[in-house]
Amino acid sequence: QVQLVESGGGLVQPGGSLRLSCAASGSIFGINVMAWYRQAPGKQRELVAGYTGGGSTQYSDSVKGRFTISRDNAKNTVHLQMNSLKPEDTAVYVCKVVIFATPYWGQGTQVTVSS
């Protein structure tokens, strides 16, 4: 079993910052993908940022230059630093890891950007 626990969501004003964290535990040997997705009401889930199997990073065009993904391999944790937040960033942010080609999803954390 794999458990993913996300934290760091909340309400922030436009232009503000939040840092999301996702801690993986359980049978996590062999993680090769760690990523953040988001889903806004009425929209499909989309990739925000992630580490690919080769270790490189990728970002959605909508967050490039504002969001930064990082990982702590020793703690099996992936973070998402979100700066210059916009109302359109409002969504449930969900952590995903892939272990030996099997995807695992967290429960999600709500991020609301509003004045």
Side-chain angles (χ1 to χ4, degrees):
Q1 290 289 340
V2 175
Q3 295 82 41
L4 300 176
V5 178
E6 298 123 328
S7 61
L11 172 64
V12 64
Q13 292 186 341
S17 298
L18 284 174
R19 186 173 187 251
L20 306 182
S21 297
C22 173
S25 62
S27 301
I28 55 175
F29 176 77
I31 291 180
N32 58 2
V33 172
M34 301 185 83
W36 285 96
Y37 285 70
R38 68 185 180 188
Q39 187 163 18
K43 295 186 177 182
Q44 289 190 333
R45 184 173 290 182
E46 64 170 348
L47 174 68
V48 177
Y51 285 93
T52 67
S56 60
T57 57
Q58 60 180 124
Y59 293 90
S60 165
D61 286 344
S62 63
V63 308
K64 281 180 181 176
R66 300 188 297 122
F67 291 10
T68 303
I69 191 170
S70 62
R71 64 191 292 179
D72 183 338
N73 290 329
K75 297 182 179 179
N76 297 306
T77 301
V78 62
H79 305 285
L80 184 67
Q81 178 66 43
M82 305 185 294
N83 298 327
S84 302
L85 282 160
K86 305 175 181 180
E88 51 263 43
D89 294 318
T90 295
V92 175
Y93 285 69
V94 186
C95 175
K96 172 188 175 183
V97 301
V98 177
I99 302 172
F100 296 123
T102 300
Y104 298 89
W105 296 89
Q107 293 297 309
T109 184
Q110 177 69 45
V111 171
T112 302
V113 185
S114 175
S115 56

